[in-house]
């Protein structure tokens, strides 16, 4: 998964427990990957797809750790099905949607806040976020609430309406003017979850709010291309790497 010519750093990984301060929340599990070398490294939260913190999400964390980041993937399903890893097939997708509809905005924001505190306690001076699909929505939402350095949203859906609890009481897109992070939104033109009209709504909201951003549409690509289209994934990773490392050229207002 590594992009570019630089050799990735050696990494170490572990399962961790993240305390969540909310009264109704048990401690949250997570997967942590970081460079296996001394030093202080910036952090990136990795927001999972509806399938849980599975091998694909862990691969994303490992990739980011190899680039020099402390990468933490919180288990946002910890209240309802802790530690779940659903198969990427119809039955797993059906269960994932059930769990998605149990996630509330307040719960997820509490989990993100706890995760930020966790990586800051490890010494990370900056915190960014990468989100995949459902996690892309979470990352976009988090960018409206927290002082994140940079946020990369891979095909984040359900932003424009109120059909899921994460996007209530008002659509998450309506909060765009609260975003202070540099933001990268990556989407396939043929995404079956986010229609062309919704893609245009998201792009327009970012522009009208003056968010420092890049909105990238990949022709002939659908949902989930990070795990299915190596050429597109390589280009996407090069953009994410530049964003997280502070390359302002890739995060201008478009």
């Amino acid at each position: 998964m590594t992009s570019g010519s630089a050799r990735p750093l050696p990494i170490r990984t572990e399962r961790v427990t993240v305390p969540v301060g909310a009264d109704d929340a048990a401690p949250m599990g997570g997967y942590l990957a970081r460079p296996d070398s001394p030093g202080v490294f910036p952090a990136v939260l990795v927001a999972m797809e509806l399938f849980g913190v599975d091998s694909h999400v862990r691969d994303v964390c490992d990739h980011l750790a190899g680039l020099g980041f402390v990468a933490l993937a919180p288990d946002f399903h910890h209240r309802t099905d802790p530690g779940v890893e659903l198969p990427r097939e119809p039955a797993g997708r059906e269960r994932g949607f059930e769990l998605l509809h149990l996630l509330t905005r307040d719960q997820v924001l509490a989990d993100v806040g706890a995760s930020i505190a966790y990586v800051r306690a490890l010494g990370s001076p900056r915190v960014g976020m990468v989100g995949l699909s459902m996690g892309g929505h979470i990352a976009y939402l988090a960018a409206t609430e927290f002082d994140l350095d940079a946020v990369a949203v891979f095909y984040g859906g359900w932003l424009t309406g109120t059909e899921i609890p994460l996007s209530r009481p008002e659509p998450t897109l309506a909060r765009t003017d609260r975003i202070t992070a540099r933001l990268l939104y990556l989407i396939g033109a043929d995404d079956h979850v986010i229609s062309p009209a919704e893609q245009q709504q998201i792009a327009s909201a970012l522009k009208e709010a003056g968010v420092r951003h890049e909105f990238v549409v990949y022709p002939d690509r659908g949902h989930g291309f990070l795990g299915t289209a190596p050429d597109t994934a390589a280009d996407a990773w090069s953009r994410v790497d530049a964003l997280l490392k502070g390359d302002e050229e890739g995060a201008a207002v478009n």
Side-chain angles (χ1 to χ4, degrees), residues 22-181:
D23 292 339
D24 66 338
M28 176 172 58
Y31 178 81
L32 183 71
R34 50 182 157 173
D36 190 16
S37 55
V40 175
F41 301 97
V44 180
L45 304 183
V46 177
M48 66 195 200
E49 295 170 285
L50 52 78
F51 303 101
V53 183
D54 63 2
S55 60
H56 178 56
V57 175
R58 295 193 296 271
D59 283 347
V60 170
C61 290
D62 293 351
H63 172 83
L64 290 166
L67 294 176
F69 297 97
V70 173
L72 172 65
D75 176 15
F76 290 109
H77 290 327
H78 70 102
R79 291 177 177 82
T80 51
D81 201 346
V84 67
E85 293 185 35
L86 298 169
R88 291 173 177 262
E89 57 186 36
R93 192 175 304 277
E94 181 179 358
R95 175 58 177 160
F97 275 107
E98 291 175 357
L99 294 173
L100 169 63
H101 282 274
L102 297 175
L103 282 174
T104 71
R105 176 175 284 176
D106 287 346
Q107 289 171 341
V108 165
L109 289 176
D111 292 346
V112 172
S115 300
I116 292 171
Y118 186 90
V119 294
R120 287 201 184 281
L122 295 177
S124 294
R126 294 185 290 115
V127 182
M129 198 161 181
V130 172
L132 314 172
S133 191
M134 178 191 86
H137 187 124
I138 291 173
Y140 198 104
L141 174 63
T144 72
E145 186 76 11
F146 298 102
D147 185 20
L148 296 167
D149 181 65
V151 174
V153 177
F154 281 91
Y155 29 84
W158 310 286
L159 293 169
T160 63
T162 57
E163 62 267 40
I164 62 173
L166 284 174
S167 205
R168 297 176 196 152
E170 79 284 359
T172 296
L173 194 67
R175 298 164 56 104
T176 299
D177 60 0
R178 304 185 188 190
I179 296 174
T180 58

